[in-house]
Amino acid sequence: YRSPGQLCTVLFVLALRGPLWLPALLYGLWLLADRDTPRRGGRPCAWVRAWPVWNHFRDYFPISLIRTVPLDPGRNYVFGFHPHGVLAAGAFGNFCTEATGFGRLFPGLQPRLLTLPCWFRLPLFRDYAMAGGLVSSEASSLEHLLAGPGGLVAVIALGGPPEALEARPGALRLQLLRRTGFVRIALKYGTPLVPVFSFGENELFQQVPNPPGSRLRRLQARLQRLLGVALPLFHARGVFQYSFGLLPFRRPIHTV
């Protein structure tokens, strides 16, 4: 999410300082009126979710979504997603687009991927994120989804930012023991919990060694507490070479 979010913020600031200041100002006022939407189910757009570019995103790795059992569209569900990975590419490709056929595999169900509230404070980017089905990960947001009559799937990357700091090829260290608040909310509304595992998610990037207790991990933990997001130091491949760069490795992701 990071680069598009920063770009949208820069464009908004430039618009405020340029000849488009009036439309930008009106948009800013509208943001105040619309500030609760990320906690109220978002604003998904079927057209955005079906953009052809997502098929190229899927095929780059490639990403596949595997259904083991059909689900009743008359109920709501909580999908507990592991592992988070560095950028949660599998979660985005499977649940924020139709590239892997979520609507075909689970007819009558609409996914909502919960993510950190800070991303919905970024102008322009927030609307693009909600169009794909992203909503805030606040407890009130999850309760709003589960209190509905049925047909919604709340997808939660349970390990969150701490799990992103553990993501590296060949490793599988999950964060779950202290992240069980979603279970209490699911019990409150009688919502089934569906385990979702994304094989290959941790194979996409190399991460600078940051074992627990190291100076780098302590710094990352402090920044996470201050900013609310994880800041893993990662690298993978480039555009025309495969030894170093910021593009993810082309490794298959099978989400079950």
Side-chain angles (χ1 to χ4, degrees):
Y1 311 145
R2 294 168 176 79
S3 296
Q6 295 164 353
L7 176 61
C8 288
T9 302
V10 170
L11 290 176
F12 179 69
V13 172
L14 291 176
L16 281 174
R17 295 172 59 88
L20 296 177
W21 67 271
L22 182 57
L25 179 61
L26 293 175
Y27 173 72
L29 295 174
W30 178 78
L31 289 181
L32 292 176
D34 193 57
R35 61 184 178 276
D36 289 333
T37 301
R39 297 192 296 271
R40 297 294 180 267
R43 193 165 40 243
C45 174
W47 175 66
V48 173
R49 290 176 53 85
W51 279 351
V53 68
W54 304 134
N55 295 330
H56 298 290
F57 177 82
R58 172 200 64 203
D59 295 339
Y60 174 85
F61 297 97
I63 303 173
S64 61
L65 179 62
I66 301 168
R67 186 191 73 178
T68 56
V69 294
L71 298 177
D72 178 6
R75 304 192 67 179
N76 295 320
Y77 299 88
V78 173
F79 280 15
F81 181 93
H82 277 300
H84 185 287
V86 171
L87 295 179
F92 177 83
N94 285 305
F95 305 116
C96 292
T97 81
E98 283 296 327
T100 57
F102 182 93
R104 172 177 50 82
L105 293 171
F106 301 100
L109 292 175
Q110 300 180 41
R112 300 288 189 274
L113 178 61
L114 280 71
T115 190
L116 294 173
C118 61
W119 297 117
F120 299 102
R121 302 188 187 107
L122 303 180
L124 302 176
F125 178 77
R126 68 185 293 277
D127 300 291
Y128 156 74
M130 285 193 290
L134 284 160
V135 296
S136 175
S137 59
E138 295 164 272
S140 61
S141 175
L142 178 58
E143 293 208 33
H144 179 85
L145 295 175
L146 302 188
L152 290 179
V153 174
V155 184
I156 309 175
L158 300 177
E163 198 169 274
L165 298 178
E166 303 284 358
R168 50 180 46 84
L172 195 58
R173 186 179 179 89
L174 306 182
Q175 300 282 335
L176 184 61
L177 291 179
R178 299 181 181 179
R179 309 179 70 85
T180 56
F182 72 98
V183 177
R184 183 182 65 253
I185 296 175
L187 287 172
K188 177 180 177 180
Y189 292 97
T191 305
L193 302 177
V194 180
V196 179
F197 203 90
S198 199
F199 295 92
E201 192 78 46
N202 281 352
E203 307 300 314
L204 306 184
F205 295 95
Q206 295 282 354
Q207 193 168 168
V208 175
N210 58 343
S214 66
R215 184 175 300 178
L216 175 58
R217 177 60 72 89
R218 291 198 300 269
L219 175 61
Q220 289 173 322
R222 186 177 304 172
L223 290 174
Q224 180 188 320
R225 289 192 295 269
L226 290 173
L227 303 176
V229 297
L231 297 174
L233 296 180
F234 61 88
H235 62 89
R237 54 161 290 181
V239 178
F240 301 111
Q241 45 80 29
Y242 302 95
S243 57
F244 189 83
L246 295 180
L247 286 178
F249 294 119
R250 300 189 70 174
R251 308 276 170 75
I253 301 173
H254 303 292
T255 304
V256 181

